[in-house]
Amino acid sequence: YTLSLHDALPISVHILSKANIIAFSTYVWNGNISLKIAEAIKHINPEVTIIFGGPFIPFHAEEFLRKHNFIDLVVHGEGEEAFSIFLEKYSDKDWGYIPGVRFIDDAGFYREKINDKGIRDIDKIPSPYLNGVFEHLIKSESNNNWVGVFETNRGCPYR
């Protein structure tokens, strides 16, 4: 059974609206549906922190953030370090020092912290395929066929 977009949206919103933090990894193929889901969730739960990342987000994100004011924070570039720092300091609500973030602060000013370092040693990011994160899912749904998806490059391949 395949859910239509019309069916999937209310289910996603219902499930996610109970969360404190929701992070969307957005691409051209899921950017618009992610925006719809995030906006609906923020309407139901104004206290949720919504984060967007991925190539769907424009590099100069001020106009994007003002247009989509239900998004609290966007992350550019590799998000692993930025998201980890965000989670560690979540209750501080001081995001200005997190590498790669853009946001509108409480006073209405656009703020950004450029991250030009990038992750040089890919081994610093543990592989969920190699460290067993997905094992319980695979074992619990043994009748399904599983496909491991991974990206073969990070960032812009043309620089």
Side-chain angles (χ1 to χ4, degrees):
Y1 177 71
T2 303
L3 289 175
S4 71
L5 177 59
H6 183 266
D7 295 330
L9 188 62
I11 293 168
S12 301
V13 170
H14 174 73
I15 292 168
L16 293 172
S17 65
K18 297 170 179 64
N20 294 324
I21 302 166
I22 303 171
F24 293 84
S25 181
T26 56
Y27 296 81
V28 68
W29 55 268
N30 73 344
N32 289 327
I33 185 66
S34 296
L35 288 171
K36 289 182 184 302
I37 291 169
E39 184 175 26
I41 291 168
K42 193 68 149 190
H43 179 74
I44 293 168
N45 180 3
E47 300 303 313
V48 66
T49 301
I50 295 182
I51 304 168
F52 268 54
F56 181 76
I57 311 301
F59 186 75
H60 299 289
E62 181 174 9
E63 184 178 333
F64 179 83
L65 283 165
R66 293 197 188 280
K67 179 178 179 183
H68 306 290
N69 61 356
F70 49 89
I71 298 173
D72 298 294
L73 182 71
V74 298
V75 177
H76 278 279
E78 299 163 332
E80 292 88 355
E81 180 184 13
F83 192 63
S84 293
I85 294 169
F86 169 82
L87 290 175
E88 290 170 0
K89 304 291 186 179
Y90 169 66
S91 60
D92 295 351
K93 300 284 187 194
D94 179 18
W95 303 328
Y97 63 91
I98 302 173
V101 300
R102 283 101 166 112
F103 62 98
I104 307 294
D105 68 16
D106 290 339
F109 293 105
Y110 174 72
R111 299 191 45 206
E112 65 182 18
K113 173 79 169 143
I114 303 297
N115 182 10
D116 56 1
K117 292 186 317 182
I119 298 172
R120 300 285 182 234
D121 181 5
I122 199 71
D123 290 330
K124 289 184 177 181
I125 306 168
S127 167
Y129 297 105
L130 297 177
N131 68 12
V133 167
F134 301 126
E135 290 300 316
H136 72 284
L137 292 173
I138 294 169
K139 288 178 183 172
S140 69
E141 298 289 336
S142 60
N143 293 333
N144 291 330
N145 293 320
W146 291 91
V147 176
V149 178
F150 60 95
E151 292 187 35
T152 58
N153 65 6
R154 295 180 63 83
C156 178
Y158 302 108
R159 52 180 146 137

